[in-house]
Amino acid sequence: MIKKTVEFIALKQRFIIAAAVIFALLYPLLFSDLFILRMGTLCLMYIMLALGINLIMGYMGQMTFGHAAFWGIGAYTAAILSGRFGTNFIVDIIAAALVAGAFGFLLGLPVLKVKGYYLTIVTLGFGEIVRLVELNASGLTGGALGIRGISGIRLFAQEFTSPRAFYYAILILVVLTTVILMRINNSRYGLALKSIRDDDSAAEVMGVNVVRNKIMTFVISAMIAGVAGAFFAHYISYIDSTSFTTQASQEMCVMVILGGLGSIPGTMLGASVLTLVPEFIRGLAEYRMLIYGVIMVVMMLVRPQGLLGYTDFGLIRTRLLEERGKKKGGGENNGTTGTEG
Amino acid sequence: MEQQVLKVDHITQQFGGLSALKDINMELNRGEIVGVIGPNGAGKTTLFNVITGVYKPTKGMVFIDGKNGTGKKPFEITKMGFARTFQNIRLFPRMTILENVMMGAYCRTSANVFQIIADTPKKKKEHIRIRERALELLKMMGLYEYRYELPTSLPYGEQRRLEIARALATEPMVLLLDEPAAGMNDQETEDLRKIILMLKQEGYTILLIEHDMKFVMNICERIYVLDHGELIAQGKPEEVNSDPKVIEAYLGKDED
């Protein structure tokens, strides 16, 4: 039953992707309710964050509990720049990516020589340090008061503040992130990451510079989180350090763990479920962390790789098509492995 | 003309007070099949680890194709043309068999992260090239039909073959095989022997560590014998076979 469904999805994946994209494009037109639009926007932002963290957790197989720090760094960068210098959105995004990436690099230098639990603990510490700096460096970050009155999306000498504008902005960013991840997945870099995940010393013998690849992955992942942060700052228009806590980092991790390590659709599923479900069952809001805890434990026991973890729809598709090709006339189908999965 | 591809020059490897290798000298010429034998704990795998850069030797030098390879990182050694397999098979368990072999060709690709994200023609071409090469190697090793399976689904002997395919994908000049026949049954050992002879015909130089004396005697042109980290004998198989020091190392000393 599950196998059939997976095969069906794999075969129809182009159709499903097209349908999903069309739905995402029409979403703000179909639902005019502001709450629903806001949910869609936040959902996309969390998808972006989760995709970024999946690069570290799913592909490279390292655990990080400090990712909200990069999100926060991006948000503060954008807020400070646009507040003090009136920069436009593109500049904010690039600056946020560069600053978050630089912090990812600095964290990566000493840290990525350690692995496993040690790395996790250091990222946890890093997240806390960044949060405390944000809370106390009042001159720069506004301290406990945060930064308020952040502008909307400034672009082409205009300022867009409508919910629809924000929705489409984050949709574009999510599509870009997805494309980047797909390309990484289907490249020598993707191979290197997976080999580090599976056996890093064998990877090194195969010619992979493990430390360099790890640092690069941290930088890219941090940049994605930074851009999501820049969007967040403009969208919410008020930021303070309470958004970028360890709890936020953990929520991102849970999204990936629930949805599927190393799987793009899985990550999207996990992030969507965990953003939308708590909002629609408000009555259970107080039990949110309890539910997250239970999900983590159950997933670790039952399906540690997540719902769609390591399920490569592209591969399943190639396989099915080749099998069919053989049955038809023995013709060999050497199509490149799809990476949509 | 004989051409030297590996020279191990007075290598000593110490771990704390223990000398795993003492003043080892050996060389390897292009196109040869050379064996390293010795009882358990003789230092055979340590020697491999020194050659492939996993350990940095305490003393001595390693020359690879005339160039100094001492203290280089494993990935640099791989790039210089040395590929190895592991005594305890080390495939990438959650990558497909095809990806495992493609991983071997990793060191022969060069697209940087910007080219990858921009999906440039260079990157695409390169990725297709290593994929085709990997498929070719899988056909050669008789593993083609399992290409989308995970390596853990293969029987032991075929996992060994996959490891050799992965090593070949690095486009090596020298193959270092660490106990390739360990744990294999007679049929699998025979298949392996054929594969190694085929590789020799294709021009590969092979250095192998082995326990199975019969296998080594059959296949190697020259043999080095290690015991307690020292080189106790070297030469043609029949010479080594009758060397009293070798017999002593394997069977123990006569008590009278």
Side-chain angles (χ1 to χ4, degrees):
Chain A
M1 187 29 209
I2 292 173
K3 195 176 167 235
K4 281 264 182 248
T5 318
V6 169
E7 286 184 355
F8 177 79
I9 295 173
L11 281 174
K12 303 279 177 220
Q13 57 177 283
R14 296 206 171 137
F15 177 75
I16 292 170
I17 291 167
V21 170
I22 291 170
F23 176 74
L25 281 173
L26 294 180
Y27 183 86
L29 309 173
L30 291 172
F31 306 101
S32 50
D33 185 87
L34 282 183
F35 173 71
I36 299 211
L37 197 51
R38 184 185 164 80
M39 279 302 99
T41 310
L42 284 179
C43 186
L44 285 173
M45 186 191 70
Y46 278 108
I47 285 177
M48 185 165 171
L49 285 168
L51 284 174
I53 210 170
N54 199 3
L55 202 55
I56 295 178
M57 284 174 58
Y59 293 94
M60 195 166 69
Q62 303 291 324
M63 200 72 173
T64 163
F65 271 137
H67 227 58
F70 299 118
W71 185 35
I73 289 168
Y76 274 102
T77 307
I80 293 166
L81 269 183
S82 71
R84 297 196 180 173
F85 306 104
T87 48
N88 79 25
F89 189 58
I90 303 285
V91 175
D92 289 347
I93 282 183
I94 293 171
L98 290 178
V99 175
F103 275 93
F105 179 72
L106 290 178
L107 177 67
L109 278 186
V111 162
L112 290 170
K113 297 203 173 171
V114 300
K115 53 187 168 186
Y117 308 116
Y118 305 101
L119 175 66
T120 312
I121 297 294
V122 178
T123 57
L124 193 65
F126 173 75
E128 275 305 291
I129 291 168
V130 170
R131 189 183 65 81
L132 288 172
V133 169
E134 284 164 356
L135 183 61
N136 292 301
S138 335
L140 192 64
T141 64
L145 293 173
I147 300 177
R148 53 187 72 234
I150 302 165
S151 71
I153 295 175
R154 285 206 198 97
L155 211 58
F156 313 120
Q158 282 190 48
E159 188 175 331
F160 299 92
T161 50
S162 76
R164 275 187 191 162
F166 280 109
Y167 177 87
Y168 283 116
I170 190 70
L171 182 61
I172 291 169
L173 292 175
V174 167
V175 169
L176 278 177
T177 311
T178 311
V179 169
I180 289 174
L181 250 68
M182 273 164 53
R183 286 180 175 175
I184 287 177
N185 187 29
N186 192 26
S187 73
R188 71 193 289 269
Y189 179 29
L191 285 174
L193 286 184
K194 290 185 229 172
S195 71
I196 291 172
R197 173 193 72 198
D198 280 3
D199 183 340
D200 57 356
S201 41
E204 180 132 25
V205 172
M206 287 302 121
V208 178
N209 186 335
V210 173
V211 171
R212 213 178 93 182
N213 273 286
K214 278 187 175 175
I215 291 178
M216 199 151 75
T217 308
F218 245 71
V219 169
I220 293 175
S221 184
M223 287 172 104
I224 293 172
V227 172
F231 169 82
F232 181 71
H234 286 289
Y235 181 55
I236 299 293
S237 84
Y238 165 73
I239 53 167
D240 67 4
S241 63
T242 56
S243 299
F244 313 114
T245 55
T246 306
Q247 187 182 331
S249 298
Q250 284 166 4
E251 283 178 18
M252 294 179 210
C253 292
V254 179
M255 287 170 185
V256 175
I257 290 171
L258 172 72
L261 291 161
S263 158
I264 294 173
T267 308
M268 292 178 168
L269 180 74
S272 310
V273 167
L274 289 177
T275 322
L276 300 180
V277 170
E279 293 297 334
F280 287 106
I281 39 169
R282 276 285 174 168
L284 291 174
E286 284 168 34
Y287 300 101
R288 191 179 165 124
M289 286 320 279
L290 179 72
I291 295 170
Y292 278 14
V294 172
I295 290 177
M296 274 273 226
V297 172
V298 171
M299 289 305 291
M300 284 299 167
L301 289 174
V302 180
R303 205 174 149 80
Q305 72 274 47
L307 290 175
L308 294 176
Y310 306 129
T311 308
D312 188 342
F313 286 114
L315 181 67
I316 297 168
R317 181 187 149 89
T318 316
R319 235 175 126 155
L320 285 173
L321 290 182
E322 282 185 20
E323 270 170 28
R324 283 187 188 179
K326 233 181 238 165
K327 265 181 208 160
K328 265 182 198 158
E332 198 176 284
N333 179 359
N334 250 342
T336 50
T337 320
T339 47
E340 286 97 67
Chain B
M1 194 189 85
E2 285 199 339
Q3 195 190 350
Q4 202 174 60
V5 287
L6 171 70
K7 184 173 167 63
V8 172
D9 191 18
H10 296 285
I11 285 286
T12 297
Q13 177 75 45
Q14 281 176 322
F15 297 113
L18 181 88
S19 293
L21 293 174
K22 290 173 218 153
D23 200 30
I24 304 288
N25 289 302
M26 65 183 288
E27 55 209 46
L28 193 60
N29 298 315
R30 197 176 287 277
E32 273 187 314
I33 301 186
V34 172
V36 177
I37 60 171
N40 276 329
K44 304 182 299 280
T45 299
T46 307
L47 179 64
F48 259 35
N49 282 337
V50 169
I51 295 171
T52 54
V54 177
Y55 300 146
K56 196 173 180 333
T58 318
K59 269 186 231 149
M61 307 276 271
V62 177
F63 292 97
I64 287 172
D65 205 16
K67 291 183 280 280
N68 188 357
T70 326
K72 284 240 181 354
K73 293 246 161 58
F75 65 88
E76 292 168 313
I77 302 284
T78 308
K79 221 169 169 177
M80 289 171 92
F82 274 43
R84 73 175 288 183
T85 64
F86 295 90
Q87 186 175 355
N88 45 340
I89 300 177
R90 287 174 78 169
L91 294 160
F92 301 113
R94 281 178 293 180
M95 297 167 78
T96 61
I97 285 168
L98 175 61
E99 282 179 318
N100 264 278
V101 182
M102 284 171 76
M103 201 46 229
Y106 174 87
C107 64
R108 302 297 166 203
T109 55
S110 63
N112 65 32
V113 68
F114 300 105
Q115 289 164 333
I116 286 165
I117 288 174
D119 209 21
T120 59
K122 179 192 166 184
K123 174 234 157 175
K124 282 189 207 159
K125 225 188 258 170
E126 182 178 276
H127 207 65
I128 291 171
R129 174 172 62 82
I130 64 169
R131 193 185 141 88
E132 307 264 287
R133 175 73 182 137
L135 287 171
E136 234 170 72
L137 285 167
L138 285 173
K139 274 182 193 152
M140 189 167 114
M141 291 289 164
L143 296 167
Y144 182 74
E145 58 183 304
Y146 310 116
R147 62 198 179 284
Y148 299 130
E149 309 286 337
L150 294 180
T152 40
S153 69
L154 290 178
Y156 190 80
E158 300 192 335
Q159 291 194 18
R160 284 256 177 239
R161 288 222 297 275
L162 176 56
E163 236 197 354
I164 295 175
R166 184 178 67 178
L168 289 177
T170 67
E171 295 171 29
M173 163 172 85
V174 179
L175 263 178
L176 298 111
L177 307 176
D178 195 347
E179 302 213 11
M184 283 187 170
N185 62 32
D186 285 351
Q187 183 56 46
E188 286 171 333
T189 310
E190 179 55 24
D191 290 345
L192 179 72
R193 200 179 66 86
K194 282 184 192 147
I195 287 171
I196 291 178
L197 289 175
M198 175 184 78
L199 293 175
K200 179 187 159 64
Q201 294 213 314
E202 297 214 352
Y204 290 103
T205 311
I206 295 164
L207 182 64
L208 75 133
I209 291 179
E210 197 42 76
H211 247 107
D212 186 337
M213 286 294 269
K214 207 176 89 199
F215 185 72
V216 180
M217 295 302 164
N218 255 323
I219 208 168
C220 294
E221 293 155 8
R222 285 194 301 125
I223 290 175
Y224 289 91
V225 188
L226 287 180
D227 189 27
H228 297 298
E230 284 177 82
L231 197 60
I232 56 168
Q234 55 175 302
K236 293 209 169 75
E238 51 277 16
E239 293 166 16
V240 167
N241 212 1
S242 51
D243 191 313
K245 271 197 271 179
V246 177
I247 296 168
E248 186 188 307
Y250 267 88
L251 300 175
K253 204 170 183 174
D254 220 351
E255 289 289 333
D256 57 343

